[in-house]
Amino acid sequence: MKLTIVEYPDRKLREKSKKVEVFDEKLHKLLDAMHPFMIKTNGIGLAAIQVAYATQVLVLNIPDEDGEQPKENLLEIINPVITSKNGSTVYQEGCLSVPSFYEDIQRSETISINYQDRDGNTKTLDADGLLSIAIQHEIDHLDGILFIDKLSYSRRKKFEKEYKRMLKEKKSSK
Ligand code: Y12
Ligand code: CO
């Protein structure tokens, strides 16, 4: 399965992703393609909508202390629901769908989620640190929300200006 990234300002990123009802080979094929794609593109988290599949599917692989992303640390999260949130933290986020732009974003410090694995088994997960931030970022994608939507009015304007300039440069260098 060949995947390509959907980039801002594509309206596809604003779609709400549908709950997964059937845990079949089609789902497994998507998950099996998303993980290497995310690693190849230097990502730590990827939502299916970022590769044009509007289903509630996420993959996350948080780097360890050596910066490695071993497959044992891969998390496949389907139909996630946040059941509790606590505290507040700020982290400089980036997104494969908004390349070359990083901004400080405020999120809950710790979260608990319910979700399903690739076989439909129900799981719970308590997350803190970068994992908590990345899960919140990815769950936002399922609702059509991007991290840039959380910027203040002035920072959002700065982003729009910088991003337009970047797209223009990209176009003229082709
Ligand atoms: C903190 C950090 C990350 C998240 C959500 C997941 N975001 C990512 O995985 C973003 C990765 C990313 C990778 C890039 O590199 C390439 O595309 C090769 C990148 O590219 C450039 O900047 C050129 C941008 C983002 C949540 C919280
Ligand atoms: Co993202």
Side-chain angles (χ1 to χ4, degrees), residues 36-173:
F37 180 81
M38 178 181 72
I39 298 296
K40 193 180 77 188
T41 50
N42 292 333
I44 64 166
L46 182 71
I49 193 68
Q50 293 181 269
V51 287
Y53 288 81
T55 60
Q56 294 186 15
V57 172
L58 312 175
V59 291
L60 293 120
N61 201 339
I62 303 299
D64 61 19
E65 48 296 353
D66 304 316
E68 303 293 326
Q69 291 172 287
K71 200 164 177 200
E72 307 92 80
N73 294 353
L74 167 65
L75 262 174
E76 296 177 337
I77 295 180
I78 295 146
N79 300 334
V81 177
I82 297 179
T83 53
S84 73
K85 296 177 171 202
N86 278 293
S88 173
T89 188
V90 174
Y91 194 88
Q92 193 171 56
E93 297 188 14
C95 178
L96 286 168
S97 294
V98 192
S100 305
F101 193 77
Y102 304 87
E103 267 287 1
D104 282 351
I105 302 293
Q106 185 179 355
R107 299 207 184 258
S108 301
E109 192 171 13
T110 63
I111 55 164
S112 300
I113 60 167
N114 289 343
Y115 68 99
Q116 285 168 285
D117 68 11
R118 61 163 58 210
D119 299 311
N121 301 305
T122 302
K123 306 264 183 186
T124 62
L125 174 71
D126 299 320
D128 60 10
L130 185 54
L131 178 60
S132 166
I133 293 162
I135 292 174
Q136 291 173 72
H137 176 115
E138 300 309 333
I139 288 179
D140 272 351
H141 275 297
L142 304 182
D143 293 322
I145 297 167
L146 300 174
F147 77 110
I148 51 170
D149 301 338
K150 297 184 179 286
L151 298 174
S152 66
Y153 180 80
S154 62
R155 282 159 84 200
R156 178 65 183 251
K157 287 281 158 216
K158 188 180 133 228
F159 161 75
E160 302 287 355
K161 221 169 135 183
E162 277 181 27
Y163 205 77
K164 263 186 203 148
R165 194 185 320 131
M166 192 199 77
L167 290 180
K168 225 168 141 183
E169 279 169 12
K170 230 174 160 179
K171 228 174 150 182
S172 66
S173 69

